[in-house]
Amino acid sequence: MPLDPRASLIALVLIPAVACSRSPTPAAAPAPAAPVTAQPAALASGPAGWVKEFGTMWTFDTPPLDYWRAAYDFRADPGWLEHVRLSAARIPSCSASFVSANGLLMTNHHCARACITSASTPDSNYQEIGFVARSREQEKPCPGMYADQLQSIEDVTARVRGALTAQTPERQAAQRDSTIGAIQGACGAGLTCQVVTMYQGGLYSLYRFRRFGDVRLVMAPEGQAAFFGGDPDNFTFPRYDTDMTFFRVYDNGTPRATEHYFRWSASGAAEGDLVFVVGNPGSTGRLLTMAQMEYLRDVVYPAQLAGYERNLTVLRRLAARSEEDRRRLENQIFSFENSHKAVSGYLRGLTDPVIMGKKAAFERDFRSRIETNPEQRAKYASAWDDIARAQSELASFAVQARWYGFGGSQLLNLAGGIVRVHEQGALPDPQRLSQYRGQGLDRVRAQLLRETPVDLEAERLTLAAQLEAASRELPANDPYLAAVLAGRTPEAAARVLIEGTRIGDLATRRALLEGAAGAVQASADPMIVAARQIAPLAAQYVRRAEGLNAALAAGTERLGQAIYAAYGTSLPPDATFTLRISDGVVRRYPMNGTVAPFKTTMYGLYARAAEFDGKPPWNLAPQWQARRDRLDLSTPLNFVSTNDIIGGNSGSPVLNRNAEVVGLIFDGNIESLPNRFIFTDDVARSVSVHSAGIIEALRKVYDAGWIADELVGAGGR
């Protein structure tokens, strides 16, 4: 479930675009959103006052001990919680866990794709054939990979809020950022620190991590085994995936020795079991207002989906050029396909009257609590209307803000950066666009002076697609279209711009950046000419959006403070890609007029391949074909539970009461996608690889018995 950090300029609803599993208007303002027609909904309260719609993504500093005791007769003592926290890890975009005393780290295959690709050799594509180290010496380094282990959590709310003395939202935002930077900069030696905004500003927590930067690949299955069923089966159940990968963490050149790691349950999960998912969910929107959710529904998500479709069309065309291109682009294609399916699910949730009705019910309850408290009413009651006004104004120019910029081409973006550096550098710092204030100008300049490989065909195709889409949304006499198209078709304009520019050449960029402003103004390079014309068109909307986003952030923070004042920690905060623990139960669910089983087995894997005649994406990886007779086909392969997960949870361990591994999270079913906004567990399920299936595959498919022994404690080296 990789986290997708892409976000729109005007999409400040404080949640990134996507998910897991394996991102402005016509001339007139849009019509008001249709009213929700569902009957009034009641909030579902559970044991100890827990409000079910807000899920179970609990933080480790406020675990719901009374709720667990009342709901499951489970008592977690401080030692259990500390052991679980120190056995968990966070890796780029995903979750992981230590599963041996010698630094073995478990996550998903789709979380390790970048490492698997970089470890591959010219004649061995490990995405296709898999990889198993046969000795420590064969474990392959993973450049850029790291593992963060959470050491402590500290409430720093008073320090952050105490620094906010300015009167305007923009200045307060600058003060907040400066204070957070100072707190993080004062982190202890050997630690990585992050100030995390909880409850949209109701609480600020300092998370201290120990970071391990030497991470090596130990084992990865074939991509086909890890992602059996491909995109059609993504976000579905029943599933038959071995979506696992094992790394090893090294410390000072030797495998990290630790007493805090998760022991292995050979029998794994059974129906009805209490299970915990420990990982780093990326983002949710359960504390958003109705206005913010409507903005996502009407403005952000439709535009994101259209963008994903354009990118996929271009990437698939480029990947078809050669085997080298296919290998180079397969991870990008995987990511965009995953994001498209996820955002489609989120959008379905926002058009579901039942979900929107539940959200409206919560908002009514929340507002009534604030209204009945005079002090809280004076502080917070106007926040909802302030947010709604900001979202409405952002929507009024969303089309222009989306297209008036330097997107659609790496070369156009470089040209735009050169124009902006000269333009903004001539202004006093407070008058600059926010990206160029302080050290921002130098950061942009440094980026422009980096060697940048450019695929000219990719540039032409992506820019043509961008201009074609802009032509469909903007009026024919729009100034942006006039500047960029100059009367040409989108395809012809893209060709002229890409073939005529020299901005891809570093020496050309350096000459323009280091020369006088007149050099940029005098340049006849077609990309610079286009960027000069686009810049003033875009600036008016960028400045307008910056002001509205600052006001929106201020209103959202006030609302977060109100939520915290009204409900305290009885509601878990929205996901923040920091460590959480979610409780749930292994349970079947109703599906298509029948019942989905709680588990699948290896029998089902071979049956599903046979039912599709072994054709992609339901073809078996060669080792699974050759070694069928070795396997106990009744071994569980995947299973479902009611745990609360989202993007970022990929690679999270699933634990039993004894903190033993019973599974490995890798997906959620399609019904779980609307849980981004309102949590339900009637049919929504998390999907995991079963611990018994992992051991069976390691021993009998991959001849990796030594890894299995290390997991179950029978050996290891």
Side-chain angles (χ1 to χ4, degrees):
M1 302 178 179
L3 183 70
D4 182 347
R6 288 179 290 269
S8 167
L9 162 71
I10 56 170
L12 183 60
V13 287
L14 306 184
I15 57 174
V18 175
C20 63
S21 161
R22 280 310 174 219
S23 227
T25 58
V36 175
T37 57
Q39 295 299 312
L43 297 177
S45 294
W50 167 58
V51 179
K52 180 177 179 179
E53 285 83 357
F54 285 83
T56 61
M57 293 179 180
W58 309 105
T59 60
F60 272 77
D61 54 339
T62 57
L65 302 179
D66 292 340
Y67 159 63
W68 287 344
R69 191 159 44 244
Y72 309 111
D73 191 27
F74 175 72
R75 291 165 171 78
D77 61 30
W80 189 93
L81 288 165
E82 180 184 38
H83 173 67
V84 168
R85 171 173 56 79
L86 292 173
S87 300
R90 183 176 69 176
I91 62 176
S93 298
C94 285
S95 300
S97 59
F98 290 101
V99 288
S100 88
N102 295 315
L104 202 62
L105 193 74
M106 178 176 71
T107 190
N108 290 143
H109 181 281
H110 71 257
C111 297
R113 290 179 68 92
C115 173
I116 296 167
T117 296
S118 67
S120 297
T121 63
D123 59 350
S124 297
N125 182 357
Y126 296 142
Q127 296 282 8
E128 291 187 354
I129 66 174
F131 171 80
V132 179
R134 302 301 173 187
S135 67
R136 290 276 169 80
E137 291 71 30
Q138 291 183 2
E139 295 175 356
K140 292 182 173 286
C142 294
M145 179 61 75
Y146 57 83
D148 285 341
Q149 180 193 52
L150 178 60
Q151 303 296 305
S152 66
I153 304 172
E154 178 186 351
D155 184 351
V156 293
T157 307
R159 292 171 64 186
V160 174
R161 287 209 196 129
L164 306 184
T165 59
Q167 299 302 308
T168 66
E170 293 91 341
R171 289 297 304 145
Q172 285 189 355
Q175 288 177 329
R176 184 185 305 108
D177 291 345
S178 176
T179 302
I180 288 174
I183 293 171
Q184 292 176 163
C187 190
L191 297 176
T192 297
C193 286
Q194 177 186 0
V195 174
V196 182
T197 303
M198 302 288 189
Y199 300 102
Q200 301 179 346
L203 179 72
Y204 291 91
S205 296
L206 175 61
Y207 278 58
R208 296 183 178 91
F209 300 92
R210 184 179 178 191
R211 174 163 292 184
F212 299 94
D214 186 351
V215 180
R216 306 183 193 182
L217 182 64
V218 177
M219 182 273 168
E222 313 92 332
Q224 182 55 29
F227 199 42
F228 177 81
D231 190 58
D233 281 4
N234 195 18
F235 293 113
T236 68
F237 192 78
R239 290 288 285 282
Y240 307 92
D241 291 10
T242 48
D243 194 349
M244 62 182 185
T245 288
F246 291 93
F247 295 122
R248 192 178 304 280
V249 169
Y250 282 70
D251 193 11
N252 294 321
T254 61
R256 178 179 180 253
T258 178
E259 61 180 306
H260 290 293
Y261 65 92
F262 294 124
R263 275 63 175 179
W264 201 266
S265 169
S267 57
E271 188 161 26
D273 283 356
L274 166 65
V275 289
F276 296 93
V277 170
V278 180
N280 301 275
S283 66
T284 51
R286 294 168 189 168
L287 302 182
L288 298 179
T289 67
M290 289 294 291
Q292 289 172 306
M293 291 172 68
E294 289 162 356
Y295 183 76
L296 284 170
R297 180 193 66 197
D298 301 336
V299 177
V300 176
Y301 285 161
Q304 282 184 337
L305 289 171
Y308 294 151
E309 289 160 8
R310 289 195 302 274
N311 284 325
L312 282 167
T313 297
V314 171
L315 287 170
R316 287 166 180 155
R317 180 170 172 178
L318 295 171
R321 295 184 303 190
S322 68
E323 173 62 17
E324 180 183 355
D325 285 321
R326 187 188 69 78
R327 289 178 64 170
R328 180 171 59 87
L329 298 172
E330 63 184 351
N331 287 350
Q332 291 184 56
I333 292 171
F334 176 93
S335 177
F336 277 116
E337 287 177 340
N338 178 74
S339 296
H340 187 278
K341 200 163 190 178
V343 172
S344 297
Y346 303 157
L347 185 57
R348 281 195 299 275
L350 294 178
T351 58
D352 185 327
V354 174
I355 289 174
M356 295 298 275
K358 288 182 177 180
K359 185 64 185 181
F362 170 74
E363 194 158 299
R364 287 192 298 271
D365 179 81
F366 182 14
R367 295 187 77 159
S368 69
R369 290 183 185 224
I370 298 302
E371 289 290 343
T372 56
N373 183 309
E375 182 180 354
Q376 292 180 3
R377 181 172 65 246
K379 286 183 179 179
Y380 309 128
S382 63
W384 285 272
D385 292 339
D386 292 345
I387 289 170
R389 279 192 295 271
Q391 296 284 198
S392 178
E393 188 172 347
L394 284 167
S396 72
F397 60 91
V399 171
Q400 288 79 8
R402 182 159 60 251
W403 299 117
Y404 287 17
F406 309 113
S409 162
Q410 189 177 15
L411 293 171
L412 179 57
N413 191 53
L414 291 169
I418 292 169
V419 170
R420 282 277 193 247
V421 163
H422 278 285
E423 167 199 273
Q424 298 295 305
L427 298 174
D429 192 79
Q431 296 179 21
R432 295 175 185 169
L433 298 174
S434 61
Q435 181 183 0
Y436 300 90
R437 292 177 197 150
Q439 297 179 351
L441 192 71
D442 290 335
R443 282 195 295 268
V444 173
R445 183 182 284 110
Q447 291 169 358
L448 292 168
L449 291 175
R450 291 174 186 162
E451 195 68 63
T452 305
V454 175
D455 182 327
L456 293 179
E457 184 180 6
E459 286 287 291
R460 179 178 59 78
L461 292 173
T462 54
L463 183 56
Q466 176 94 349
L467 296 177
E468 180 65 39
S471 298
R472 290 195 296 269
E473 281 203 73
L474 295 167
N477 61 349
D478 184 86
Y480 169 83
L481 295 179
V484 182
L485 296 181
R488 300 175 292 240
T489 66
E491 185 175 351
R495 186 176 297 278
V496 168
L497 289 166
I498 299 301
E499 293 180 356
T501 187
R502 296 191 61 212
I503 290 300
D505 175 58
L506 179 57
T508 299
R509 296 200 301 277
R510 187 182 302 278
L512 288 169
L513 281 169
E514 296 177 354
V520 174
Q521 292 300 318
S523 174
D525 185 291
M527 279 295 184
I528 293 291
V529 172
R532 286 202 309 261
Q533 294 175 299
I534 293 169
L537 298 175
Q540 60 181 312
Y541 292 108
V542 172
R543 290 191 185 280
R544 195 172 164 192
E546 285 181 350
L548 288 167
N549 283 337
L552 184 58
T556 300
E557 179 157 358
R558 277 202 300 143
L559 203 64
Q561 295 170 14
I563 288 170
Y564 194 61
Y567 298 95
T569 57
S570 65
L571 302 184
D574 268 324
T576 51
F577 196 47
T578 49
L579 194 65
R580 305 291 180 92
I581 180 167
S582 170
D583 53 273
V585 176
V586 179
R587 182 183 296 158
R588 67 186 73 186
Y589 64 97
M591 181 187 70
N592 296 339
T594 182
V595 176
F598 85 90
K599 67 177 181 180
T600 61
T601 67
M602 292 183 178
Y603 276 119
L605 168 68
Y606 289 96
R608 189 154 177 81
E611 287 158 0
F612 286 96
D613 299 320
K615 295 179 180 178
W618 297 278
N619 53 306
L620 293 165
Q623 289 188 94
W624 284 84
Q625 291 181 20
R627 301 189 173 186
R628 173 175 177 165
D629 292 343
R630 294 186 180 187
L631 294 166
D632 176 355
L633 297 181
S634 67
T635 304
L637 186 53
N638 295 162
F639 69 96
V640 291
S641 63
T642 62
N643 298 88
D644 186 9
I645 65 163
I646 201 161
N649 270 120
S650 288
S652 298
V654 187
L655 310 174
N656 61 18
R657 292 170 180 260
N658 299 321
E660 297 169 332
V661 173
V662 298
L664 172 64
I665 286 287
F666 73 94
D667 206 356
N669 63 0
I670 201 78
E671 294 88 347
S672 72
L673 292 174
N675 278 4
R676 171 174 282 274
F677 303 106
I678 289 286
F679 177 77
T680 67
D681 61 6
D682 298 331
V683 294
R685 293 291 183 271
S686 300
V687 186
S688 303
V689 189
H690 199 281
S691 61
I694 291 173
I695 297 298
E696 185 78 357
L698 287 172
R699 292 194 188 283
K700 299 180 182 178
V701 177
Y702 297 108
D703 294 331
W706 73 273
I707 300 174
D709 289 344
E710 187 170 351
L711 291 172
V712 301
R717 296 193 293 274

